Amino acid sequence: MSWRPTISQGVVLTAYHASNKGAATGSNAKDHSQVSPKSRKYGQYSMNHGPVNPSLDKVAFNRSGSQDSLDELSLDDYWTEVENIKTSTDNSQREQDVVVVKEPAEGEQEEEWLKEAGLSNLFGEGSSDSQDSMVFLATLTRTQKAAVQKRIDNFTQTLRKKNKHHQIPDVRDVFRQPESSKDKDEDMNGFRSTEKSETTNEENEKSLVANANTGGPGNPVNNISIPETDINLEISFAEQASNLKEFTAVRTEKDDKEDDSQLPNYRLPQDKTGITKIGDLAPQDMKKVTSLALIELTALYDVLGTELKLQRAAKIRVGESVVFRVPLSVLLEQDQKKIQGTKVPLIFQSLVGLIENGGLDTEGVLRIPGVSSRINFICKELESKFYEGTFDWDTVKQHDAASLLKFFIRELPLPLLTIEYMKAFHSVQYLPTKKHRLQALNLLVILLPDIHRDTLKALLEFLQRVVDHREQNKMTLKNVAMIMAPNLFSVHTSPLKAVDQSAVTSAARTASIMLFMIKYQKLLWTIPKFIVAQVRKQNIVHQKKSSKEKAMKKLLKRMAYDREKHEKTERNSSDNDIPQGFIRVQAPQFSKISMAVQLTEDLKAGDILARFLHQESGTTTLLKKEEVSLYEIGGNIGERCLEDTTYMKDLSQLNPNAEWFIKPKPKE
């Protein structure tokens, strides 16, 4: 008898852990026998027309609110996937306590938050590094300061209740630093201040929200022509929300209409100084970015009246498996022993490659589960043979590989979205507008650990390729989101929950988060310009704060630099003098290692690369344009990889003390 979700019946929306280590996802449905001519080698099957399980009843609930915008097929996709997850393991023999989540006690939430934000030095006993935190705090926006102050005040009150004494400075004194009238309009680094931008951009931001909710001026939601809506990355997201005094505090029916044919075509406006992607910055600057992203996300949630809670995995029990149910960090460590520089687990890459080699035009790819008994056998074989290199991939059918891929994601001991931020990802569904949800997801992606972020990126790119073949495979963006949501948003420690109206609504909205992540994935891997600007300001402020203390050290460095420069001058006397309006570009890997380039209004980073590559034509240099990039190094940034469309004159004015190098691009 088929499992049917109803109001009165309990349903498990989480992954189940069978005592059999080889247990994987699948169904007891009969194997499909019609093989697509294109994919006989990989065992790809065509989908039988009609529902996967004809006896699955419709979910009983009142169709109101967000449900009105979700067709019955999409809801069936979600609940069918939940049923497949449930029936893939023996419910009576599932493993318990694979991950134990620690709920923070009073005061621990704020303390953990301050540590994650890089502000733990504020309450260290006599910490000599507190000055670094003060420099950091001095560059925050108004809403960011309010978020920090709120956590410190709560933490201080908790310490007083517990009669603990920590030397915590009054942050209000730090934030109340005097500013000159010039500083209010433009700070000492030449960056336009947030405060000045608030008023001038308020009407533009109101227009953006209106466009997001209605499809744009003159373009109602049901209009076929969907507008391209610019995303403002120059002003803090929390500041934008704070300035929108009439933003909708509660999601409306119109907000929940997530049909992918009606979603706005959000885009990034052209930035002459270049868009910064995750991976473009040096580690020391990326550390500042993550601290700022956490503070900004908290400030945004505060402004929108949504609680942000961080969690910790207090206990993790990992079995003897080597492929499935293994933390990503452990997989990455063993994979890098096989292939140096690996960023995404090899088993994940193998499963995705198999599905794509079998063809993404198969009807129901991802929707049709593999056969349970066969998948269990394959899972055991992979555990013993994958790293030995003796596993026969030709025996794996495409739908089996898709089921194994979902099983791999769902059964990670530490979820792909992490224990720490899983609740924050869930909370995105309650934010008022599409733009707010997109902004929150952007910040959350930045906050993920590298291995989780890289694997998520690979997954979303694969899912987009599935959607790109929707005319053939009948897997629309909404279908894919509905099927993947219960696999990505499962938490092993979630309690059993009855399927009531709120559960159905939450399921639909969680799927809408999945939909956003697939559709807008390119935007999510962008570091907002206002955060990069804050990093630049922090670097300069820190340099000025520490200049007196390190005067002698800088003098010695300067002497060494002058000596090195003098030696370089002797070696490259013809290239020594750089006239005003020129920059020196270094390219150690090319035969011409240095070139003076004149800055013009339309000169772009890609143009400079083209000049060097043209010089190398006919030489033994084998570098291609897609393998190298121009880098901005030093000055007010550590290191930044530039996109080809960056206007060099504008960037050199923003960072006049930078040096310019051509180097290999970071590996994807």
Side-chain angles (χ1 to χ4, degrees), residues 159-176:
L159 290 180
R160 287 172 182 167
K161 290 179 182 178
K162 296 180 179 180
N163 294 321
K164 292 184 178 181
H165 302 285
H166 286 269
Q167 295 180 355
I168 304 178
D170 190 337
V171 182
R172 287 168 292 188
D173 292 338
V174 178
F175 291 153
R176 212 177 282 136

Side-chain angles (χ1 to χ4, degrees), residues 277-278 344 348-349 352 356 360 366 405 409 416 453-469 477 480 484 488 514 516-525 667-668:
K277 298 289 185 181
I278 295 174
V344 176
F348 180 95
Q349 296 183 45
V352 167
E356 294 190 339
L360 294 178
L366 293 180
L405 178 66
I409 295 165
L416 188 57
R453 191 195 304 124
D454 292 337
T455 305
L456 177 63
K457 185 173 188 289
L459 174 64
L460 295 179
E461 289 174 346
F462 163 70
L463 297 179
Q464 183 58 58
R465 291 193 291 272
V466 172
V467 174
D468 290 342
H469 290 75
L477 176 58
V480 173
M484 293 306 300
L488 194 67
M514 188 77 235
F516 260 58
M517 293 172 69
I518 300 171
K519 182 174 179 64
Y520 301 121
Q521 57 186 280
K522 292 184 179 179
L523 302 181
L524 300 184
W525 262 256
K667 293 182 179 180
E668 293 290 338

Side-chain angles (χ1 to χ4, degrees), residues 209 212-213 247-248 251 255 266 428 430-438 516:
V209 171
N213 289 333
F247 72 81
T248 306
R251 285 181 61 164
D255 291 327
Y266 289 118
V428 170
Y430 302 111
L431 300 183
T433 69
K434 296 179 178 69
K435 187 186 73 170
H436 292 136
R437 280 167 254 159
L438 185 59
F516 260 58

